């Protein structure tokens, strides 16, 4: 039995006359990575924001941990976003006045951890992502790839179970993009966490367990559509050979589990196989 961490069912959402989502359904298996692709305006960000509890759909349900997050109070939903979900955006959205370590520690402080206790884990996260020695730099003193790795650390320091990323490599060149994906996959899926990302880059999508393709607010039926975009067959029954295991991912081996993190078992081949076959694309 696969372990679904998120089950979105028949999401519909309008912005004025625009139907951004049109009866979209998507299941996410715990410990896997899902890439959402599609043309500009096809509804990718809207879907990601729904799954992450940032937006509430006009219609449809999203099951997470036995609850429908569309029915939660604003207060419960913000607690969920703060404590169980992590976010990485195209432009990090880091606070420029703060240093790298302060940006990461802040996420933990917002859940009630005193600053003095937040700085240690923040330093560990930065080190695990190859940023040791850069703790005290302000964001403007980091490269784009380094800043994205700070954002990746910030997204996970609370022990988030699901990391949502909207075009996390969108502003990076291909070499830096590869490094950031190494960091993102090595720190999430390789440790049993779940990653859902939006991307326009087939190379980024190819690193994920599964790719879904959106068009006009709907997920295209069938895996063929997605493999057309990514240039690979995604209905394979084995684990995606492109996804690096913990040993292959820089930083993953020495990766600290944050104190508040539940450290689930690494994603197994079984789970990955299921992700490719059982859960994909629904009409
Ligand atoms: N806040 C908003 N107000 C009005 N229309 C919106 C809003 N957000 C999104 N839309 C519209 O909803 C549709 C889907 O937008 P969305 O941002 O989800 O697309 P996307 O696939 O993420 O595109 P991109 O690749 O350009 O980021 C688009 O037609 C967009 O113009
Ligand atoms: Mg978008």
């Amino acid at each position: 039995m696969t372990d679904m961490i998120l089950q979105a069912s028949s999401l519909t959402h309008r912005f004025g006359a625009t139907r951004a989502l049109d009866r979209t359904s998507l299941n996410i298996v715990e410990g896997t990575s899902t890439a959402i692709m599609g043309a500009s305006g096809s509804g990718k960000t809207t879907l990601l924001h729904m799954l992450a509890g940032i937006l509430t759909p006009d219609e449809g349900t999203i099951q997470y941990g036995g609850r429908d997050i569309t029915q939660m109070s604003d207060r419960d939903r913000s607690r969920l976003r703060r404590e169980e979900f992590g976010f990485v955006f195209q432009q990090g959205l880091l606070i420029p006045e703060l240093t790298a370590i302060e940006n990461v520690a802040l996420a933990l402080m917002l859940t009630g951890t005193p600053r003095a206790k937040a700085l240690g884990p923040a330093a560990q996260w930065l080190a695990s992502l190859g940023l040791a020695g850069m703790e005290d730099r302000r964001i403007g003193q980091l490269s784009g790839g380094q800043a994205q790795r700070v954002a990746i650390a910030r997204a996970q320091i609370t022990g988030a179970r699901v990391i949502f990323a909207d075009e996390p490599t969108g502003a990076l060149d291909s070499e830096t993009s590869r490094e950031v994906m190494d960091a993102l996959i090595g720190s999430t899926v390789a440790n049993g966490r779940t990653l859902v990302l939006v991307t326009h880059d087939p190379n980024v999508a190819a690193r994920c367990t599964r790719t879904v393709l959106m068009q006009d607010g709907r997920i295209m039926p069938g895996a063929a559509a997605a493999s057309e975009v990514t240039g690979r067959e995604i209905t394979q029954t084995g684990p995606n050979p492109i996804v690096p295991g913990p040993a292959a991912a820089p930083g993953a081996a020495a990766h600290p589990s944050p104190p508040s993190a539940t450290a689930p078992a690494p994603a197994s081949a079984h789970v990955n196989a299921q992700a490719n076959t059982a859960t994909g694309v629904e009409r």
Side-chain angles (χ1 to χ4, degrees), residues 95-188:
I95 300 174
E97 290 80 11
L98 299 182
T99 61
I101 195 169
E102 287 168 342
N103 266 280
V104 178
L106 181 63
L108 208 49
M109 289 158 67
L110 289 173
T111 66
T113 305
R115 178 186 164 93
K117 286 203 170 142
L119 289 173
Q124 276 190 306
W125 269 101
L126 289 174
S128 77
L129 292 163
L131 296 171
M134 300 189 191
E135 296 84 355
D136 296 329
R137 291 205 202 170
R138 291 186 200 284
I139 303 310
Q141 299 172 314
L142 297 170
S143 71
Q146 289 164 348
Q148 272 312 58
R149 282 182 276 151
V150 173
I152 291 168
R154 183 194 53 182
Q156 297 191 75
I157 192 167
T158 57
R161 291 176 70 199
V162 188
I163 307 303
F164 297 94
D166 197 350
E167 303 193 38
T169 63
L172 305 175
D173 63 58
S174 58
E175 172 64 18
T176 312
S177 163
R178 207 166 47 74
E179 287 167 17
V180 166
M181 282 306 291
D182 285 344
L184 194 51
I185 289 179
S187 62
T188 55

Side-chain angles (χ1 to χ4, degrees), residues 15-16 18-20 38-47 166-167 198 200:
F15 292 109
T18 305
R19 196 192 294 232
S40 180
S42 58
K44 305 180 296 296
T45 294
T46 306
L47 176 59
D166 197 350
E167 303 193 38
V198 167
H200 285 285

